[in-house]
């Protein structure tokens, strides 16, 4: 079945918690002490998602394979430590479940999010990526993202180094 994209609604808050928890744990869970991972994941609640999904500054898109959500991406107001040169927006999350990776869905989702970012009036898009997530960094570089700095990404009490990347829209 060909995946489709649709805007997430407040009713999708629980689903987004599930996908985010699953994909983060599958990709990075082995790097952290269980207490640090649990503290990090505890921030992603239905209530927090409902708040963002009700806020017009956020744009969340679900990737659907039939009735199954296989990923999502979220744009929101800037939160990363960077020096914007224009009107920025941030790609805050970009997650695909394992079964959707390598299918071309990531490209479809990224192109959609770039168009959505442009439609907000933003002229630059920022994101962060774990420095050792080489596959993701190569993917973002294919879309013109360039490293503009680093910052400390905290998972519980564990400090990771993330690259901050930017692309002009």
């Amino acid at each position: 079945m060909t995946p489709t994209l649709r805007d997430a609604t407040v009713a999708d808050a629980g689903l987004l918690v599930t996908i985010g928890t699953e994909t983060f744990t599958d990709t990075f869970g082995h790097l952290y002490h269980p207490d640090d991972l649990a503290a990090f994941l505890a921030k992603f609640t239905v209530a927090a998602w409902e708040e963002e999904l009700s806020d017009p500054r956020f744009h969340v898109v679900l990737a659907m394979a039939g009735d199954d959500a296989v990923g999502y991406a979220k744009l929101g107001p800037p939160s990363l430590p960077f020096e914007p040169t224009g009107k920025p927006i941030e790609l805050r999350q970009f997650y695909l479940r394992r079964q959707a990776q390598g299918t071309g869905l990531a490209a479809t989702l990224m192109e959609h999010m770039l168009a959505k970012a442009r439609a907000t009036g933003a002229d630059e898009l920022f994101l962060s990526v774990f420095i050792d997530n080489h596959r993701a960094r190569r993917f973002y570089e294919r879309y013109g993202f360039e490293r503009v700095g680093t910052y400390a990404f905290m998972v519980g009490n564990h400090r990771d180094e993330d690259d901050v990347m930017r692309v002009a829209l």
Side-chain angles (χ1 to χ4, degrees):
M1 174 168 291
T2 303
T4 58
L5 304 179
R6 73 165 175 84
D7 289 340
T9 68
V10 172
D12 295 312
L15 177 60
L16 290 161
V17 169
T18 299
I19 297 169
T21 299
E22 176 189 305
T23 55
F24 189 88
T25 302
D26 284 351
T27 305
F28 303 112
H30 66 282
L31 299 174
Y32 307 112
H33 185 278
D35 293 342
D36 289 326
L37 181 61
F40 175 78
L41 295 175
K43 297 184 298 183
F44 301 100
T45 65
V46 170
W49 272 110
E50 288 173 344
E51 185 175 326
E52 287 184 352
L53 290 164
S54 298
D55 185 334
R57 299 174 303 155
F58 289 87
H59 307 278
V60 182
V61 175
L62 280 166
M64 305 295 296
D67 292 333
D68 295 325
V70 294
Y72 72 88
K74 176 173 70 173
L75 292 171
S79 65
L80 292 168
F82 58 79
E83 294 296 324
T85 59
K87 185 177 177 191
I89 195 165
E90 186 178 316
L91 182 61
R92 290 191 169 196
Q93 293 170 337
F94 192 95
Y95 292 150
L96 290 177
R97 287 179 159 157
R98 287 192 193 272
Q99 70 264 30
Q101 295 175 6
T103 66
L105 179 57
T108 300
L109 187 56
M110 177 56 80
E111 290 164 13
H112 182 84
M113 297 311 282
L114 288 167
K116 207 161 199 53
R118 288 183 192 100
T120 70
D123 59 9
E124 57 186 348
L125 177 61
F126 287 83
L127 60 79
S128 70
V129 61
F130 180 49
I131 60 167
D132 289 330
N133 191 344
H134 304 292
R135 181 178 182 186
R137 286 200 359 239
R138 284 190 306 269
F139 173 77
Y140 296 135
E141 288 168 352
R142 286 198 303 267
Y143 289 90
F145 283 90
E146 297 178 338
R147 183 182 172 279
V148 295
T150 61
Y151 91 110
F153 181 83
M154 297 302 295
V155 177
N157 292 314
H158 182 96
R159 179 188 181 278
D160 280 331
E161 186 174 348
D162 273 22
D163 283 331
V164 176
M165 299 182 81
R166 176 197 176 274
V167 66
L169 297 173

